[in-house]
Amino acid sequence: MSSVDTPRGRAALAGIAALIAVVAIAIASTGARVPQPSPTPSAVAVATVPPSQSISKAPPPTPTSNVNCGSLISYTAPSATGGGSVTIDRPASRRQQGGQATYGIPVGAQIVTPSGWTCVRFIPAVPAAQFVSFVATGADGYLAQPSPTPRGEYANSALLYYLTLPEPYRVSSLLRISNSGASVAAGDLPATAEVFTARTVADEGALAAQRCETACAIGNYVAVVEMFTDRQAPRDWYAKRVGAAGETIQDLTIDGRAAIRVTGGGTYPVQIIIDDHTWMLRVAYTLSPDIGPAPPGASKEKLEQILASFHFTQ
């Protein structure tokens, strides 16, 4: 007979069963959970970046260089121990103001000694521009030297135009005009006007002292250059003003700028109207035998010569 089948054995089994039941009830009442084993290291996911998506820094941008050209004023060659310098005198143009500019040349730079008209490539920087190189004739960025002003030529450094004045024509300081205000903004009056006359200073002064109404002898047989601020296409600009029966309008191009020549129109017998990209210019002349005879040396042919000689410096 087994010991379990004895009365004492059966009592022991009953006691163990009762103990298991009590433990089961206690676990259920407390909500205890059987702990789960921790995941093995091989089960942990590791994020990786594919080689094709690797992160890299963009290279710094290349500095933009400019070129200035002018007549050589001075030059000091750089050496193995010290830097050099170059100074040029830049003529005024529509892209830059004129005047002298100096550029420091780095120590040990190997460059060809400049002479005469010199173009300098540089990187704008503060407090001083950084010299890059001299620009050879015909290379990218090189600007040719402007043609010298011939004798008898008048150049306007503000509006950057020039024209030839046949003898005895000259610019008149007495008839020069400067206006401002609403009428200028509307285009009713020119902002500035220069007048070219064949009269002597004394003759012009004597006529200025005389009273006249609309047609004055002092303004007869003169050429004018007027600057207006209300920019438009030349034909549209002229259409806003007084025309005349029988006038003729011819399309022109002057130094790459759209223009028209009006003959027999309003205000002037002949006028050239030019869109100068920023403002409007009118180049014209007056003559009227009804006002009086031409002053000594003046003629229609010379007035036409002045108009035909008009050009821009840039």
Side-chain angles (χ1 to χ4, degrees), residues 152-215:
E153 187 173 281
Y154 172 79
N156 184 301
S157 59
L159 300 181
L160 299 177
Y161 72 80
Y162 64 93
L163 45 77
T164 301
L165 296 174
E167 292 289 344
Y169 274 89
R170 62 179 178 83
V171 63
S172 170
S173 58
L174 184 62
L175 297 178
R176 180 179 284 116
I177 296 172
S178 179
N179 297 312
S180 60
S183 295
V184 170
D188 298 329
L189 291 176
T192 62
E194 289 191 303
V195 182
F196 305 92
T197 182
R199 298 185 186 276
T200 65
V201 174
D203 185 23
E204 196 178 30
L207 289 175
Q210 299 177 2
R211 291 196 61 180
C212 62
E213 297 301 327
T214 55

Side-chain angles (χ1 to χ4, degrees), residues 68-73 86-90 99-101 103 118 120:
N68 276 338
C69 300
S71 300
L72 182 66
I73 300 299
V86 59
T87 299
I88 59 175
D89 186 17
R90 303 165 299 164
Q100 293 188 8
Y103 306 92
T118 301
V120 178

Side-chain angles (χ1 to χ4, degrees), residues 24-198:
I25 293 172
I27 292 174
S29 62
T30 58
R33 295 182 180 178
V34 177
Q36 299 294 321
S38 300
T40 61
S42 61
V44 178
V46 179
T48 59
V49 178
S52 61
Q53 298 181 8
S54 59
I55 301 174
S56 61
K57 293 184 179 179
T62 303
T64 301
S65 63
N66 295 337
V67 175
N68 276 338
C69 300
S71 300
L72 182 66
I73 300 299
S74 64
Y75 169 69
T76 302
S79 65
T81 58
S85 66
V86 59
T87 299
I88 59 175
D89 186 17
R90 303 165 299 164
S93 70
R94 293 191 179 276
R95 75 170 192 168
Q96 68 179 20
Q97 293 182 341
Q100 293 188 8
T102 300
Y103 306 92
I105 304 175
V107 176
Q110 301 295 316
I111 54 179
V112 177
T113 301
S115 63
W117 183 255
T118 301
C119 291
V120 178
R121 184 175 299 280
F122 65 96
I123 297 174
V126 176
Q130 300 176 14
F131 175 90
V132 176
S133 65
F134 291 120
V135 182
T137 303
D140 182 39
Y142 180 86
L143 294 177
Q145 182 176 9
S147 300
T149 302
R151 185 176 181 180
E153 187 173 281
Y154 172 79
N156 184 301
S157 59
L159 300 181
L160 299 177
Y161 72 80
Y162 64 93
L163 45 77
T164 301
L165 296 174
E167 292 289 344
Y169 274 89
R170 62 179 178 83
V171 63
S172 170
S173 58
L174 184 62
L175 297 178
R176 180 179 284 116
I177 296 172
S178 179
N179 297 312
S180 60
S183 295
V184 170
D188 298 329
L189 291 176
T192 62
E194 289 191 303
V195 182
F196 305 92
T197 182

Side-chain angles (χ1 to χ4, degrees), residues 9-23:
R10 288 193 291 273
L13 290 174
I16 292 172
L19 179 59
I20 293 173
V22 171
V23 172

Side-chain angles (χ1 to χ4, degrees), residues 261 263 270 272 285 299-309:
R261 176 186 171 99
T263 303
V270 176
I272 298 174
Y285 63 76
S299 67
K300 178 180 179 181
E301 290 72 25
K302 289 183 178 180
L303 292 171
E304 284 285 355
Q305 182 181 342
I306 293 174
L307 264 63
S309 69

